[in-house]
Amino acid sequence: MAELSERIQKADWKKEKHVPSIDAPDELKAGELFEVKVSLGKEIGHPNTTEHHIPWISVYFHPEGGKFTHQLGHFQFTAHGEGVKGPNQGPAYTHHAITFLAKLNESGTLHALALCNIHGLWEDSKEIKVVE
Ligand code: FE
């Protein structure tokens, strides 16, 4: 039987509109606040319509040599043009991009997981080195 991890798709974000791309420093000091940006469709835009959109992005951190993965945040995008007049006639759309602050005490890997309501799960990773 297949496992969920086998269902998570990977690709080059420059060629595939579903891949989240993580923007964060390569190196930082322990305990220093830094900005993490995750966006999707940086090169090739992903649709944001009532029928086809990105409902959420989750970001995780896995410390180097560690056993367990920690969730840094889960970001839900809940407006996709829904309205009383019908699909895509509504007043608002949430765009599938996030920026948040975090601190790390250890080196490790950031993982971003994004869901497309039609095209499933997509991931990207980025290593971050914590220096003294
Ligand atoms: Fe899609």
Side-chain angles (χ1 to χ4, degrees), residues 17-18 46-47 52-54 116-120 122:
K17 63 177 182 280
H18 286 95
H46 187 276
H52 185 192
H53 56 259
I54 305 297
C116 168
N117 70 327
I118 295 176
H119 302 111
W122 295 81

Side-chain angles (χ1 to χ4, degrees), residues 4-127:
L4 180 61
S5 59
E6 296 170 46
R7 307 301 189 205
I8 300 174
Q9 305 164 87
K10 288 179 204 169
D12 181 353
W13 62 264
K14 287 180 186 139
K15 295 184 189 134
E16 167 54 59
K17 63 177 182 280
H18 286 95
V19 180
S21 87
I22 303 172
D23 225 325
D26 296 324
E27 255 187 34
L28 43 93
K29 290 197 175 103
E32 176 192 357
L33 271 177
F34 66 101
E35 210 173 72
V36 182
K37 289 185 193 175
V38 183
S39 58
L40 216 129
K42 233 160 113 176
E43 201 75 15
I44 313 159
H46 187 276
N48 187 2
T49 64
T50 306
E51 299 84 1
H52 185 192
H53 56 259
I54 305 297
W56 55 257
I57 294 176
S58 241
V59 184
Y60 304 89
F61 176 68
H62 192 99
E64 201 178 280
K67 189 172 177 191
F68 302 112
T69 304
H70 300 260
Q71 188 177 40
L72 298 185
H74 182 74
F75 307 88
Q76 255 179 302
F77 311 120
T78 46
H80 304 285
E82 304 84 346
V84 287
K85 292 183 205 136
N88 301 304
Q89 307 292 310
Y93 291 83
T94 327
H95 189 67
H96 39 260
I98 50 169
T99 303
F100 65 97
L101 297 174
K103 296 196 259 193
L104 296 175
N105 290 325
E106 295 174 38
S107 300
T109 311
L110 290 177
H111 298 282
L113 183 64
L115 177 72
C116 168
N117 70 327
I118 295 176
H119 302 111
L121 293 163
W122 295 81
E123 71 164 64
D124 185 39
S125 306
K126 179 183 176 30
E127 278 184 27

